Amino acid sequence: MNLDFSQMVPYIPFMLEGIWVTLKFVSMSILVGFILGTILALCKITKLPILKGLADIYTSIFRGTPLILQLMIFYFAVPQLSGYDTSPFLSAILAFGLNSAAYVSEIIRAGILAVDKGQTEAAEALGVPYKPMMINIILPQAFKNILPALMNEFITLTKESAIVSVIGYLDIMRRAQIVGADIYRNFEPLLFAGVIYWIMVYLLTQLGKLVERRLRHSD
Amino acid sequence: MIKATNITKVFGENTVLKNISASVKQGEVVAVIGPSGSGKSTFLRCLNLLEQPTTGEIFMNEQEITKEKTNKLEVRKHIGMVFQHFHLFPHMTVLENVTYAPIKVKGLSKEEAKKLAKQLLAKVGLTDKLDAYPNRLSGGQKQRVAIARALSMEPEIMLFDEPTSALDPEMVKEVLDVMKDLAHTGMTMVVVTHEMNFAKEVADRVLFLDDGVLVEGGEPESFFNQPQTERAQDFLAKIL
Ligand SMILES: Nc1ncnc2c1ncn2[C@@H]1O[C@H](COP(=O)(O)OP(=O)(O)OP(=O)(O)O)[C@@H](O)[C@H]1O
Ligand SMILES: [Mg+2]
């Protein structure tokens, strides 16, 4: 075993830049996934069969096919069909955001259903319309209960984000491969990338715990 | 003020309310009693349309509210409801619980809503708990907040579904006292209860439900002393 990080030193800034590049699309994807996931979850609990059906089909498709395939479709197939190039950045946000929305919608749906039915009745009895009832009363309680599950989803997304390297997006993973090819040593850059991912996930986990503690004030 | 005519409610195969007709006058306090499963809650929940009666009509101030096109939320603004298990909003403080509906539903300003909430919370004896979260309160305190919350919409009528049944015995009185005060201020009230003393002392009228049927109704005096029907006699014999 002969690890030699000295050759890598000039590439460290290049690798570290990948953190920002990864975070940029991961955070956008989380945002897209969260907002769209909430909307899908609300569709799933309505009494309108059309909305419910569409949301269920959506979820089934995005959960039932590989993420890497979805990513490649957004990157290769969409430009072929539409004539517009989708940048790696946009493809990545679309694939990860839309995919995450499917998982997030299931988590949120379960969270909403777990809120005591008496809460809905109390709000209805006061004459509170559906929208403010959801936004102010049901969703805050649902989110509090599902925070650990949501955090898990975001962590998974952060780790899985490494597959964007296949469409040439210059994230941490891709940079590790480039450096590896440059210096003819793969292990060191991969190890370095691994440490970066691990630290990011660790920080995300801590952030989750912090938010959770904040929300616990009413328990 | 509120009148039900020939209300029937069917859940699947189960007919829970059978042809119930009853009315409540302005300022009247009506106690609804009867065995478990007799349909008391369902009847009460029909009055504010939490349940839609299968057949029959309900009128509020001469207006039929059971029509298809009735705006249920509009009706409920004028009908307060207090539940057995309180159903306070756990992520809101006491003050937020009581100001929420006036602000969101009635469009009061925050200041107006706070002022009103403080008055109501003073009325139920909870001025020192404004910023507490519900989980820090005892059952009796929670129920008093729930009463203040229902009153915050300044309803014309208040519905209570066994408001003291989930409470430890030592807390029953504080809630009943608040309800008595409310009755004395002239509030129209319909109270489903197992507290026969409350029914005797405070109610103007008692309705006795059994197996979905309004079996007997009348002034508490005569109902408790000379129940007319066998079913009422049996029921009273069991619980008194
Ligand atoms: N949403 C519902 N779906 C199906 N059946 C119901 C529903 N709500 C009530 N029931 C049934 O209707 C009957 C009457 O219930 P209800 O809650 O009105 O009785 P109650 O007199 O309030 O009883 P308790 O004293 O136990 O509260 C019961 O048999 C109950 O199982
Ligand atoms: Mg009941």
Side-chain angles (χ1 to χ4, degrees), chain B residues 11 14 16 35-42 51 162 194:
Chain B
F11 286 119
N14 202 353
V16 175
S36 183
S38 57
K40 305 180 297 293
S41 297
T42 308
E51 303 286 359
E162 301 197 32
H194 290 304

Side-chain angles (χ1 to χ4, degrees), chain B residues 172-222:
Chain B
V172 169
K173 188 173 175 296
E174 65 190 53
V175 172
L176 290 181
D177 283 347
V178 167
M179 292 170 61
K180 270 182 214 171
D181 284 347
L182 198 57
H184 291 144
T185 63
M187 177 60 80
T188 311
M189 293 163 61
V190 182
V191 187
V192 173
T193 186
H194 290 304
E195 296 290 331
M196 294 307 146
N197 285 326
F198 178 82
K200 273 184 216 169
E201 278 176 47
V202 185
D204 301 303
R205 213 143 45 83
V206 177
L207 300 179
F208 172 66
L209 286 191
D210 190 11
D211 197 20
V213 179
L214 177 55
V215 177
E216 193 172 334
E219 291 188 2
E221 265 286 302
S222 56

Side-chain angles (χ1 to χ4, degrees), chain B residues 32-86:
Chain B
V32 180
I33 62 174
S36 183
S38 57
K40 305 180 297 293
S41 297
T42 308
F43 172 65
L44 200 69
R45 292 159 58 84
C46 281
L47 294 181
N48 70 347
L49 305 177
L50 278 183
E51 303 286 359
Q52 185 76 27
T54 311
T55 61
E57 293 97 47
I58 296 171
F59 298 87
M60 178 147 171
N61 298 327
E62 318 289 315
Q63 296 271 334
E64 187 187 342
I65 59 171
T66 30
K67 287 203 182 105
E68 192 69 43
K69 62 176 204 287
T70 305
N71 182 347
K72 293 184 186 180
L73 294 176
E74 188 56 42
V75 171
R76 292 185 191 132
K77 283 185 205 171
H78 306 285
I79 306 180
M81 186 167 211
V82 174
F83 301 87
Q84 183 175 357
H85 296 288
F86 332 123

